[in-house]
Amino acid sequence: MYSTPYHTTDISQYTFLVTGGAGFIGSNIVEYLLKYGAKKVRVLDNFATGSHNNIEEFKSNPAFELLVGDIRDLETCKRALEGADYVSHQAALGSVPRSINDPITSNDVNISGFLNMLVAARDTGVKRLVYAASSSTYGDHPGLPKVEDKIGNPLSPYAVTKYVNELYASVFSKTYDFHTIGLRYFNVFGPKQNPNGPYAAVIPLFIEAAIESKASYINGDGETSRDFTFVENAVQANVKALLTTGINKHEVINIAFGERTTLNQLWNRIINIAGITLSPEYREERKGDVRHSLADISKANELIGYKPEFSVLEGLGIAYSWYEEHITKRKSPSLDSN
């Protein structure tokens, strides 16, 4: 992965902070930045969902630095930002079901923690903060494809927290002249995403089931659709958003592939890669889930030059190979689920 550079700036003179850098998307961003010679890549993570396994390969790199800490503590955020030029804020508690079961902790991490990072980044004068927003912000708005300025009512506590992030970021832009970019991720998947635990995402669950030749559960009738996005596309977006120039206000942009895949189609593609024939088991829909999701990615292309390089099928092939190599080694909770 990451054989193609997504930047032209010389990053060897810059220090990057990746919050949640031991998590799924965060550790992939760290991998890219180290591969292309960043001066320093500092990770801030409390390992609530992140994993040391995700960053083990980086620990011998002299440009890598790990700070164990929690974004809910303002002083920790300030310490993490010392000397940082750019911030990729990936730390959050993901998962709609998790937020329904425990809205208070999701609020504390995703809203209070985010606000701490905004305040600390504003006060230390970083060049750019890019944060993980979410397609859940579109809520019950029925329109497809999803366009950034047309949202509905949130359908879960998680969606509320991610929308509040955008509101705070917009206020900081207007009030303090501190401009950030929110990336509304659409169902990111790929290597290092956790198939274990009660809040695992659908693709690692499907792949694990296929590798073990076991039927996986599908919530509902399987015709729910998502704009699944391979993680390298998300890394590209982060790198381009961090290093972009000329954006002088808060912006939120969709990061996706721009294609809908139903859960039934997804399962069939994965078992085809596995070379098996296996029917899934269906169960009731989950609370808070959106029926269909599809992104308009034209704004991301216009503002930061985002062009997704990997289709869903290409990404599934890469992800399947990675899980096939790692899954038997990791039957304990050792991968991240963010």
Side-chain angles (χ1 to χ4, degrees):
M1 293 174 63
Y2 310 117
S3 58
T4 301
Y6 299 116
H7 67 284
T8 56
T9 304
D10 178 11
I11 64 173
S12 65
Q13 56 187 315
Y14 297 123
T15 293
F16 295 81
L17 170 65
V18 183
T19 70
F24 160 45
I25 297 175
S27 62
N28 275 278
I29 295 169
V30 171
E31 179 178 346
Y32 178 95
L33 293 172
L34 289 173
K35 179 171 183 174
Y36 286 99
K39 177 184 176 182
K40 181 181 288 186
V41 181
R42 180 181 298 137
V43 163
L44 172 62
D45 207 299
N46 68 353
F47 293 93
T49 57
S51 167
H52 283 280
N53 283 332
N54 285 346
I55 56 173
E56 191 62 39
E57 63 186 296
F58 313 137
K59 290 179 179 178
S60 61
N61 190 320
F64 176 80
E65 181 181 321
L66 173 63
L67 175 61
V68 179
D70 197 310
I71 59 171
R72 287 173 289 185
D73 180 70
L74 179 58
E75 293 307 312
T76 296
C77 296
K78 290 179 178 179
R79 189 163 70 253
L81 279 158
E82 290 177 1
D85 299 294
Y86 296 98
V87 184
S88 175
H89 179 59
Q90 306 298 316
L93 275 183
S95 169
V96 165
R98 190 205 311 266
S99 74
I100 291 173
N101 292 335
D102 183 6
I104 290 175
T105 304
S106 289
N107 187 88
D108 287 347
V109 175
N110 295 358
I111 295 180
S112 297
F114 180 78
L115 182 57
N116 283 340
M117 284 302 305
L118 274 183
V119 169
R122 177 203 65 187
D123 292 348
T124 53
V126 299
K127 299 178 189 300
R128 176 78 68 192
L129 183 148
V130 172
Y131 65 93
S134 172
S135 59
S136 66
T137 298
Y138 289 105
D140 63 2
H141 191 282
L144 291 177
K146 303 298 184 184
V147 181
E148 285 85 351
D149 61 352
K150 294 181 175 64
I151 64 173
N153 297 306
L155 295 175
S156 67
Y158 174 72
V160 170
T161 69
K162 302 309 281 186
Y163 181 42
V164 172
N165 286 179
E166 295 182 11
L167 294 175
Y168 263 126
S170 178
V171 167
F172 267 59
S173 180
K174 296 169 184 174
T175 305
Y176 305 113
D177 207 33
F178 179 67
H179 313 300
T180 58
I181 299 174
L183 305 180
R184 279 186 190 157
Y185 295 146
F186 281 68
N187 296 89
V188 181
F189 72 95
K192 299 186 178 182
Q193 190 175 27
N194 188 5
N196 300 312
Y199 303 118
V202 64
I203 287 179
L205 285 175
F206 279 11
I207 290 178
E208 181 180 44
I211 289 172
E212 297 178 351
S213 295
K214 296 178 180 178
S216 184
Y217 287 108
I218 288 182
N219 298 318
D221 61 4
E223 290 307 299
T224 293
S225 66
R226 293 288 181 268
D227 195 336
F228 293 105
T229 311
F230 186 58
V231 67
E232 185 161 338
N233 295 334
V235 171
Q236 176 201 152
N238 274 275
V239 171
K240 288 185 172 180
L242 283 167
L243 300 175
T244 191
T245 57
I247 294 180
N248 296 312
K249 64 188 182 78
H250 172 247
E251 294 284 3
V252 178
I253 52 180
N254 292 336
I255 300 302
F257 182 66
E259 177 182 284
R260 269 201 300 163
T261 303
T262 68
L263 296 180
N264 287 327
Q265 290 172 328
L266 181 67
W267 174 252
N268 287 328
R269 288 179 181 182
I270 289 171
I271 62 172
N272 284 339
I273 293 170
I276 60 174
T277 301
L278 190 63
S279 296
E281 296 182 16
Y282 294 92
R283 60 185 180 186
E284 64 182 14
E285 296 273 5
R286 292 192 314 185
K287 291 181 180 179
D289 274 350
V290 176
R291 180 63 166 168
H292 299 295
S293 189
L294 173 67
D296 180 330
I297 56 175
S298 58
K299 183 178 177 182
N301 175 258
E302 292 165 8
L303 286 185
I304 63 171
Y306 170 73
K307 295 180 181 178
E309 298 287 335
F310 293 86
S311 69
V312 175
L313 190 58
E314 289 169 328
L316 287 175
I318 296 169
Y320 189 93
S321 296
W322 187 88
Y323 284 108
E324 202 168 31
E325 178 183 351
H326 290 81
I327 215 161
T328 56
K329 304 175 185 176
R330 299 187 179 186
K331 299 308 290 184
S332 59
S334 56
L335 299 170
D336 176 61
S337 59
N338 271 357

